[in-house]
Amino acid sequence: MLPATVLLAGWLLADCLAHEHQVPFRYQDGPFIAAPTRPLVWGDINIIHTTDTHGWLSGHLKDTAPEPNYSGDIGMLSSFVSHLKAEAEERNVDLLMVDSGDLHDGNGLTDGFPVGGIDGHEALKLFRRLPYDVMAIGNHELYKYEVAYDMYKNFAPKLHGRYLTSNVNITVEESGQLINVPIGDRFSKFQTRLGRNITAFGVLFDFQLNSINTTIQSPADMVQESWFKDAIAEEPDLFLLVGHMAIQPGSRWPVVFEAIRAVHPLTPIAIFGGHTHIRDCVQLDSRSMSLESGQFMETLGWMSLKFESDQVAFTRRYLDANMVTYAYHTGKHGEDFHTKEGKDITTGIQTLSNAFNLSYQFGIAPQDYFKQRVPTSSSSSVINLFASQVLPTTLKLSSTRGDIPAMFVANSGVLRYDVFKGSFTRNDQYIVSPFQNTFEYVQNISRSVAAQVVDELNRSGLPSLEKLYSENTSIDQADPFEVYSRWLQGQWERWNSEPSSSTENLTLGYVTTDACPGAGDDVPHQPVPHYPLPPFIGSDLPNTDYMDLVFVSFIRDSVLIVINEINAGNVPNVTDADVKPYTQLAVDNVFGLYASMVWS
Ligand SMILES: [Zn+2]
Ligand SMILES: [Zn+2]
């Protein structure tokens, strides 16, 4: 359900700001959205970018700052882009729109499908009504074969050659034969409205956790393929590289960039990356720009290229995706702003939300619980809440071993998001933890061993993942949430180390520093506080000599290793044979159960 307060505040505020206030100011009685103060810089080719949307078609629905910054849904985005396209026509310039992948996993609109459905199948029917010129595949399209197949069979054909999977194939059966084919198209050559020639690719980093019967060729091998060499032989007006890789020089983008530069030293190259969920910009040379535009429909990236004699002037901007931003940059408000198509899409989101029962309320959270805005020891920490309250309360209730003392251990990565004060819905449950891992236990763990498990886990990390990523790693193969978290931490540390920073009139939000000239953020903010997160968390130790040690199935290997290390051969090693299922509950339904038990 779209909260009327956010929308109303947005619309009213947009009108009010347009007429009177041109600077951000604090808004006491409700969600406040600060307005931009600088018009967009238009060039000859202008490109709107989204990435890592992960199902957030309805935007962010909560009132706690900075969530209202991101309260625009994709219906409003559709209206916004349609007004910008009209402006582009007036200005006699081109406007394109691209997406860098990860359309699945992270919101009920994709993940909340009924039994027998496919993740994202319905939501993407709405998503593809946005006027994208090029979309690229992300790793979250590839964890499950049925999702990858849905992209191949139902999504890619609707994009008519513009769903680009340059280095990603799928094996499918056709006329009794198994064939290995690109999920979408390897590349696209097209002309803009004004007749400029574009050659576009859609590249994924060398992702290794993909499902069986999908294959990813490394970008380094891809650029050696004859189809790639043929595709870049002819010089376009712009190489448009859209893909699911971080844009930092430590990513695989330079491999693709250099392959093109070897043939075309001067042709403009626009790169649109993703996967690490941050706002970022670099220029690999003066005739190219690389942009990454955040996550979860929070950010719209804007890039402009102006051709000036033999130079190309690039600009970039990170727009907070909300009605105030849209009204400011189009000069349109209320009914003048909302197009019929935009309103239809918004209605479609609501219909889908109803069909998936996403506004079903488990309970009402009495306060905000934050993932990293407070220390883990805080009573406002969602990590603390999860380990010390949610797991013991729900798992014991649902287990036949509920009366045996137990300690509960999880990796903090199973929680993806904050829990905000107010209604806790089925959609919120998908947002806070979409993972389907189960819970397992080992019995008869001594108090002295249990007391050390979490500390030891935090010292040793996750061996299985470390092993996976130990060879030939790129920045993209690191955990994207680590990269995102480090980015937030950097904002918070810089803010605190510059005591002269004026906080007056600034709302919470992203504070981007990147390697491109000028200010990137469309609206200046002060950063959200950020505290480090231990990789593993545990409940309180029960006051007993022996107990069950209950853990998320995902960390089983690490837990067994650590128990055996602590025991140091003094007792027989615990093995997989000692591990048993603890409950029928999975990670993605404990919060809902807790809310219905404690918050209703
Ligand atoms: Zn992502
Ligand atoms: Zn990704």
Side-chain angles (χ1 to χ4, degrees):
M1 184 66 203
L2 299 169
T5 47
V6 174
L7 298 183
L8 194 60
W11 281 323
L12 289 177
L13 216 58
D15 283 330
C16 152
L17 284 165
H19 297 132
E20 298 171 40
H21 308 277
Q22 289 298 331
V23 292
F25 63 97
R26 286 186 188 284
Y27 184 82
Q28 299 297 333
D29 303 327
F32 170 64
I33 300 171
T37 55
R38 300 177 296 149
L40 293 171
V41 178
W42 288 77
D44 296 304
I45 301 179
N46 308 277
I47 307 167
I48 294 171
H49 180 220
T50 57
T51 187
D52 294 277
T53 52
H54 289 281
W56 289 70
L57 282 70
S58 58
H60 293 233
L61 305 175
K62 304 296 181 181
D63 288 352
T64 303
E67 294 298 290
N69 292 1
Y70 322 121
S71 53
D73 70 30
I74 66 162
M76 300 169 197
L77 175 57
S78 168
S79 300
F80 179 57
V81 175
S82 109
H83 294 308
L84 290 184
K85 280 196 179 274
E87 182 169 354
E89 253 181 75
E90 260 168 48
R91 290 173 176 269
N92 202 31
V93 298
D94 281 313
L95 178 67
L96 304 174
M97 186 173 188
V98 301
D99 180 82
S100 292
D102 271 6
L103 300 169
H104 299 85
D105 301 333
N107 192 289
L109 289 167
T110 43
D111 309 349
F113 58 89
V115 177
I118 297 170
D119 192 292
H121 179 82
E122 295 302 326
L124 294 194
K125 289 179 185 169
L126 295 165
F127 205 86
R128 68 179 181 237
R129 287 171 68 170
L130 293 167
Y132 283 105
D133 294 280
V134 169
M135 299 183 82
I137 196 164
N139 57 304
H140 278 266
E141 278 73 75
L142 295 167
Y143 283 98
K144 294 188 174 139
Y145 181 81
E146 67 264 29
V147 170
Y149 185 78
D150 191 42
M151 298 308 281
Y152 164 78
K153 190 73 186 169
N154 299 312
F155 188 77
K158 300 290 194 313
L159 266 83
H160 307 291
R162 305 287 186 83
Y163 187 59
L164 300 185
T165 63
S166 301
N167 59 335
V168 184
N169 272 28
I170 186 167
T171 301
V172 294
E173 193 187 318
E174 225 151 78
S175 321
Q177 300 272 325
L178 287 181
I179 53 168
N180 185 252
V181 290
I183 289 181
D185 282 73
R186 294 215 190 281
F187 66 94
S188 172
K189 294 189 179 192
F190 62 96
Q191 282 200 331
T192 63
R193 197 180 59 84
L194 294 177
R196 292 190 177 87
N197 293 312
I198 309 286
T199 297
F201 296 91
V203 190
L204 176 65
F205 70 94
D206 21 20
F207 175 54
Q208 297 174 13
L209 301 175
N210 53 305
S211 95
I212 186 167
N213 289 327
T214 64
T215 48
I216 296 131
Q217 183 180 39
S218 81
D221 290 341
M222 180 196 80
V223 300
Q224 301 300 330
E225 294 281 352
S226 55
W227 70 260
F228 180 83
K229 291 177 177 170
D230 291 348
I232 65 168
E234 183 186 22
E235 185 185 21
D237 295 306
L238 173 71
F239 282 104
L240 180 60
L241 310 186
V242 186
H244 199 71
M245 312 196 265
I247 57 165
Q248 286 297 310
S251 77
R252 302 297 192 216
W253 274 124
V255 168
V256 186
F257 176 83
E258 295 300 341
I260 292 171
R261 272 288 171 261
V263 183
H264 303 289
L266 297 176
T267 313
I269 301 179
I271 297 179
F272 293 90
H275 183 60
T276 53
H277 290 207
I278 68 174
R279 294 177 173 184
D280 200 11
C281 181
V282 299
Q283 291 189 271
L284 295 176
D285 69 15
S286 66
R287 301 179 73 82
S288 100
M289 179 175 268
S290 309
L291 187 70
E292 184 174 347
S293 304
Q295 63 165 6
F296 300 164
M297 276 295 173
E298 294 169 348
T299 301
L300 297 182
W302 170 269
M303 186 191 291
S304 71
L305 297 80
K306 196 166 184 56
F307 302 109
E308 295 168 331
S309 58
D310 61 346
Q311 303 288 315
V312 192
F314 287 88
T315 75
R316 58 83 184 81
R317 191 78 66 83
Y318 309 103
L319 279 61
D320 292 343
N322 63 62
M323 264 312 302
V324 177
T325 295
Y326 298 160
Y328 175 82
H329 287 301
T330 58
K332 294 200 183 302
H333 316 282
E335 281 306 302
D336 283 348
F337 175 82
H338 297 279
T339 63
K340 178 173 184 312
E341 173 70 357
K343 285 194 279 196
D344 278 359
I345 293 174
T346 297
T347 303
I349 296 168
Q350 193 58 64
T351 304
L352 181 59
S353 173
N354 292 342
F356 284 6
N357 198 19
L358 297 180
S359 53
Y360 173 81
Q361 180 176 295
F362 289 108
I364 298 176
Q367 61 165 92
D368 292 325
Y369 293 98
F370 299 115
K371 188 173 171 192
Q372 295 200 260
R373 200 183 299 194
V374 296
T376 309
S377 57
S378 163
S379 60
S380 295
S381 159
V382 71
I383 304 290
N384 187 348
L385 176 76
F386 184 69
S388 68
Q389 304 293 330
V390 175
L391 290 184
T393 307
T394 58
L395 299 192
K396 283 190 156 197
L397 179 82
S398 63
S399 173
T400 53
R401 300 177 65 82
D403 50 359
I404 297 169
M407 183 176 163
F408 299 86
V409 178
N411 53 316
S412 55
V414 300
L415 298 183
R416 277 178 61 134
Y417 215 73
D418 300 333
V419 170
F420 296 106
K421 180 177 176 164
S423 181
F424 185 84
T425 64
R426 216 168 95 79
N427 195 40
D428 296 320
Q429 178 168 258
Y430 284 109
I431 288 168
V432 68
S433 190
F435 304 102
Q436 288 159 7
N437 306 91
T438 55
F439 294 92
E440 302 176 329
Y441 75 100
V442 178
Q443 63 182 10
N444 283 333
I445 298 295
S446 73
R447 185 181 165 81
S448 67
V449 170
Q452 299 174 65
V453 163
V454 171
D455 284 348
E456 278 306 313
L457 281 169
N458 281 329
R459 259 196 289 278
S460 65
L462 275 173
S464 51
L465 284 183
E466 265 174 28
K467 184 161 161 257
L468 180 68
Y469 293 139
S470 63
E471 292 161 25
N472 192 26
T473 55
S474 69
I475 180 176
D476 297 298
Q477 288 164 325
D479 178 357
F481 290 98
E482 283 275 334
V483 178
Y484 175 71
S485 175
R486 275 206 303 275
W487 181 61
L488 295 180
Q489 178 132 5
Q491 295 173 34
W492 179 235
E493 282 170 1
R494 267 192 305 280
W495 187 261
N496 287 315
S497 67
E498 293 163 11
S500 62
S501 306
S502 166
T503 60
E504 207 178 341
N505 292 334
L506 292 184
T507 52
L508 288 181
Y510 292 125
V511 184
T512 309
T513 42
D514 60 23
C516 293
D521 293 322
D522 193 37
V523 173
H525 293 291
Q526 73 176 87
V528 175
H530 192 83
Y531 293 87
L533 192 62
F536 296 89
I537 47 175
S539 65
D540 296 336
L541 194 62
N543 191 14
T544 181
D545 289 342
Y546 290 90
M547 66 196 72
D548 287 347
L549 188 74
V550 184
F551 48 86
V552 179
S553 57
F554 178 70
I555 62 171
R556 177 205 282 203
D557 291 352
S558 305
V559 168
L560 296 190
I561 288 169
V562 160
I563 292 173
N564 290 332
E565 272 174 11
I566 299 170
N567 277 325
N570 293 326
V571 294
N573 274 357
V574 289
T575 67
D576 284 334
D578 300 307
V579 176
K580 300 191 181 72
Y582 187 74
T583 164
Q584 301 288 329
L585 285 182
V587 171
D588 64 356
N589 44 38
V590 290
F591 250 106
L593 179 58
Y594 181 79
S596 61
M597 290 169 66
V598 181
W599 292 343
S600 58

